[in-house]
Amino acid sequence: MSERQSREERAAALRALLQKVQVAECWQPLDPSSYIDVAVRRWTSSGRRIKPSKRTPENQIRDLLRGFREAQSEEDLIYGEPGWLEHLAERFGAALLAADQADETAAPPSR
C-alpha cells in the first residue's frame, strides 16, 4: 500500500467519523457537512503548522478552529450562531483525538 493510499484511506475514515458526530449531534440549522473536509485536511496537516514540542490536544483544536474561521464565508458570519465554530471544533477535535489514540494503540510498535 502506498503512502498516498494510506493517507486517502485515513482521510476517508476521518470523514466517516465526523459524519457520525454530525448525525449524533443532530446539528441543525447550521450544517457542519461543509466543515468536514476542512477538519480532515486541517487535522492531517497540522504537523506542518504546530511544532512537535507544542503539539497538544488544545493546540490541535485551536488550529482546527482557526481553519474553520478561515473557511467561513460572509454568509456564515451573518447567520452563524455565537460560539458555533468553537463548539464544532471541540466536538470534531474530541472525535479526531480519540481516533488518533485508537490508531496509536492499534499500530504495532516500531523498531
Side-chain angles (χ1 to χ4, degrees), residues 51-63:
K51 294 179 183 180
S53 62
K54 304 276 186 184
R55 193 172 176 88
T56 64
E58 294 82 16
N59 285 341
Q60 287 181 278
I61 292 172
R62 195 173 298 126
D63 182 65

Side-chain angles (χ1 to χ4, degrees), residues 27-82:
W27 279 328
Q28 295 296 329
L30 295 177
D31 183 14
S33 297
S34 61
Y35 290 103
I36 289 175
D37 286 335
V38 172
V40 170
R41 186 173 54 251
R42 193 81 182 187
W43 195 262
T44 57
S45 65
S46 66
R48 289 184 270 157
R49 287 181 303 282
I50 304 172
K51 294 179 183 180
S53 62
K54 304 276 186 184
R55 193 172 176 88
T56 64
E58 294 82 16
N59 285 341
Q60 287 181 278
I61 292 172
R62 195 173 298 126
D63 182 65
L64 188 60
L65 177 59
R66 191 176 309 121
F68 288 158
R69 287 182 175 149
E70 290 172 4
Q72 268 189 324
S73 68
E74 285 186 32
E75 183 177 302
D76 291 336
L77 290 173
I78 294 169
Y79 297 111
E81 191 174 316

